[in-house]
């Protein structure tokens, strides 16, 4: 199924992020015609930018390519539940559907905590589909943090 | 008082943003030693970037200058209550204090809606001081939207 291959691409971005020493999260944005218009992994450490979560990096690239701050009809696939920052950015961009993998009780802002889409201040609430490829995404994160704990080098989550 | 002059600088950034056709919101980031390390206005339209709110533009610039994704001990002055996206970004960057001007019941995410700092998923909650220069900030926004309504060119809020 198409959505599975998009999530596979997001997982590949997550793995590549982990290999760069970033928290392994990846995202893909798909245009209404099915084209992948952006794919990115987390780059907060590399760029010293706390906003460079996978979703934001992909969103900025897709908006730049489209020449628009809104991506009406576009869908986003991300390996981990978006945090409040990313959820609000996706709402601002009018993303149509958000497919995410693993739940994130610690830092999530869609099904946890701020639940950004559930307030009228979001102006737009994407349709949300969770749990797609969630086990693979969660396993990537577990492996990443277990390795960092083993080397005494843990530095918190993606937060 | 010092904080008043910082908010005056944020208001000047807001006015400059309005003159560029952007929703007039401005922000300033101040280092622990009192230096202004970033000042920015909203640039979402110019850059086709829905994440380019004044707070995010300033945050990215200050982090790049500091070579760090965290700005411990830094304070942010912004003319309008931050939205959920900006609030979560400020928490992620460990901003110490947030001083804001006008309340934003329509799109705010600090005292309204998602109330991002009130959930443990934010990991860090800046001290918040509201209403500083709020009337001037609100007047700027009212003037901007009134003019756009008059010209039949309104395009929503900063959201």
């Amino acid at each position: 199924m198409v959505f599975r291959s998009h999530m596979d691409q997001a997982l590949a971005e997550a793995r590549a992020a982990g290999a760069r020493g970033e928290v392994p999260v990846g995202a893909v944005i798909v245009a209404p015609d099915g084209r992948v218009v952006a794919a990115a992994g987390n780059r907060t450490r590399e760029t010293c930018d706390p906003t460079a979560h996978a979703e934001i990096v992909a969103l900025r690239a897709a908006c730049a390519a489209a020449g628009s701050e809104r991506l009406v009809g576009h869908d986003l696939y991300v390996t981990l539940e978006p945090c409040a920052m990313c959820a609000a950015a996706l709402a601002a961009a009018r993303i149509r559907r958000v497919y995410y993998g693993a739940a994130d009780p610690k830092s999530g802002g869609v099904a946890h905590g701020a639940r950004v889409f559930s307030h009228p201040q979001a102006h737009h609430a994407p349709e949300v589909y969770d749990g797609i490829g969630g086990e693979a995404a969660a396993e990537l994160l577990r492996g990443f943090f277990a390795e960092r704990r083993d080397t005494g080098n843990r530095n918190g989550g993606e937060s």
Side-chain angles (χ1 to χ4, degrees), chain A residues 108-152:
Chain A
V110 173
H112 297 90
R115 291 180 171 78
V116 167
F117 301 148
S118 70
H119 304 282
Q121 285 80 1
H123 303 301
H124 166 79
E127 295 169 33
V128 175
Y129 302 87
D130 62 359
I132 297 139
E135 189 42 47
E139 182 53 38
L140 259 179
L141 288 158
R142 275 194 297 269
F144 179 81
F145 286 115
E147 191 179 317
R148 291 172 75 86
R149 270 195 304 274
D150 288 347
T151 59

Side-chain angles (χ1 to χ4, degrees), chain A residues 89-102:
Chain A
L90 298 173
R94 307 301 194 260
I95 288 285
R96 179 176 59 178
R97 295 186 193 117
V98 174
Y99 299 89
Y100 70 81

